[in-house]
Amino acid sequence: MKIAILGTRGIPNSYGGFEQCAEIISAYMSKKGNHVTVYNPSDHGFQGDSLNGAHIINIFSNEKKLSFLNVFIFDYLSLRHAVASDYDVILELGYHPASLFYYLKKRTKAKIITNMAGMEWQRSKWGPATQKLIRYCEKVAVQESDAIISDNKGIQDYYLREYNKNSYLVAYGAKINDAPQTSYLDHYTLKKN
């Protein structure tokens, strides 16, 4: 498959959860023989054209000068480029403001899968106008995505209840540490197990 991963601040991860997800999924899917492309902002610290088997496309971004408008421009330019390319799947990590541009979907055969960011519009850091915009973006993403991913059962239930839309539950994982460094226990006068 040809897979595009959009909606993050780029790989390698230096920011948060969706970036870590993009880095892990792109490496895993590349090792399985898929052609994976991650869309990075041009102002990301890593300027290489590949990482762990995944191709990287740098899309214009200038967060310092454009502030909050930057994410609208970056998401639009990324999705516009992706739908003009020959992908089978476009994985959108997060939905706002990218969902405002899902009308571009009619220009591609690719399936758009959106990994929802939860009920982002409820966060107290947003003012009333921004909350309304994000809620609208959520609705568009749920309605226009070919499939949606929820990261926990509560979010999955919310999309079913609020929009009558089933989603795939993909909970966050963790690396298993089979060989922990027990020397750290000494500092706290703890014993193994």
Side-chain angles (χ1 to χ4, degrees), residues 111-174:
K111 300 295 183 191
I112 295 182
I113 300 172
T114 306
N115 189 331
M116 303 298 283
M119 295 178 282
E120 183 71 17
W121 58 271
Q122 288 186 342
R123 294 179 69 175
S124 61
K125 74 177 187 175
W126 305 119
T130 304
Q131 286 179 331
K132 284 181 183 178
L133 174 62
I134 294 172
R135 180 90 190 253
Y136 174 75
C137 291
E138 173 187 275
K139 181 179 180 180
V140 171
V142 169
Q143 292 173 342
E144 297 298 324
S145 298
D146 293 295
I148 58 174
I149 297 171
S150 298
D151 64 18
N152 68 67
K153 182 74 170 121
I155 297 294
Q156 185 181 44
D157 292 344
Y158 166 75
Y159 292 125
L160 186 58
R161 183 179 64 251
E162 190 71 20
Y163 300 105
N164 196 31
K165 179 84 172 199
N166 289 315
S167 63
Y168 294 91
L169 177 61
V170 181
Y172 290 123

Side-chain angles (χ1 to χ4, degrees), residues 50-75:
S50 66
L51 181 70
N52 298 323
H55 179 65
I56 294 176
I57 294 179
N58 291 296
I59 297 291
F60 171 78
S61 177
N62 192 332
E63 193 170 2
K64 287 181 182 176
K65 285 188 179 179
L66 298 172
S67 187
F68 75 95
L69 289 176
N70 185 66
V71 72
F72 287 88
I73 295 166
F74 174 71
D75 281 359

Side-chain angles (χ1 to χ4, degrees), residues 15-84:
Y15 187 77
F18 276 150
E19 290 73 20
Q20 183 177 14
C21 180
E23 190 171 338
I24 291 169
I25 288 175
S26 63
Y28 177 81
M29 294 302 285
S30 294
K31 285 179 188 170
K32 293 290 186 184
N34 299 289
H35 176 81
V36 181
T37 301
V38 177
Y39 283 71
N40 268 17
S42 61
D43 54 1
H44 188 278
F46 181 75
Q47 293 298 307
D49 60 0
S50 66
L51 181 70
N52 298 323
H55 179 65
I56 294 176
I57 294 179
N58 291 296
I59 297 291
F60 171 78
S61 177
N62 192 332
E63 193 170 2
K64 287 181 182 176
K65 285 188 179 179
L66 298 172
S67 187
F68 75 95
L69 289 176
N70 185 66
V71 72
F72 287 88
I73 295 166
F74 174 71
D75 281 359
Y76 170 73
L77 293 174
S78 296
L79 189 57
R80 186 180 76 175
H81 186 278
V83 300

